[in-house]
Amino acid sequence: MSKIYVGNLPFSADETAVRDLFAQHGTVDSVALIMDRDTGRPRGFGFVEMPRADAARAIQSLNGHDMGGRPLKVNEAQDKPRGGGGGGGGGQRRW
DNA sequence: TCTGAGCGC
């Protein structure tokens, strides 16, 4: 499973739309649109979890895909740092 | 209601 960073998303886009869009290029395990925690407004980007194989295809296929009139920016997402011992500094730990 | 960088609690 790989994480995909989706940026330049239209404010009108929903998790369902993103999921369906990525589902066309592979199996979507999970979709999460990030919203501003301060104001509650959508930041315009999100994350999609897909199998590594499908993720690679989706990234290349959906990268630049026009959604809501805006070219989506799809790229491998960084691993969210977790507290507790070492860690930090990002870096995807070998699975 | 509106807005537009860019990696989530």
Side-chain angles (χ1 to χ4, degrees):
Chain A
M1 196 69 69
S2 297
K3 285 185 238 183
I4 305 172
Y5 164 81
V6 185
N8 203 37
L9 283 168
F11 298 102
S12 301
D14 294 342
E15 294 179 359
T16 303
V18 178
R19 184 185 180 95
D20 183 68
L21 185 66
F22 278 77
Q24 297 177 24
H25 297 274
T27 301
V28 179
D29 182 72
S30 175
V31 179
L33 295 185
I34 309 306
M35 293 195 186
D36 193 286
R37 182 171 58 85
D38 301 326
T39 63
R41 290 194 230 145
R43 277 182 175 253
F45 73 95
F47 291 92
V48 180
E49 294 181 68
M50 296 178 70
R52 189 171 125 1
D54 293 345
R57 301 303 307 171
I59 291 172
Q60 297 180 7
S61 299
L62 297 177
N63 186 23
H65 179 84
D66 185 80
M67 184 177 184
R70 292 183 181 273
L72 264 54
K73 288 188 180 180
V74 186
N75 208 353
E76 186 177 358
Q78 298 175 182
D79 188 2
K80 182 172 29 172
R82 292 294 290 284
Q92 186 171 350
R93 232 171 263 257
R94 75 169 191 266
W95 59 284

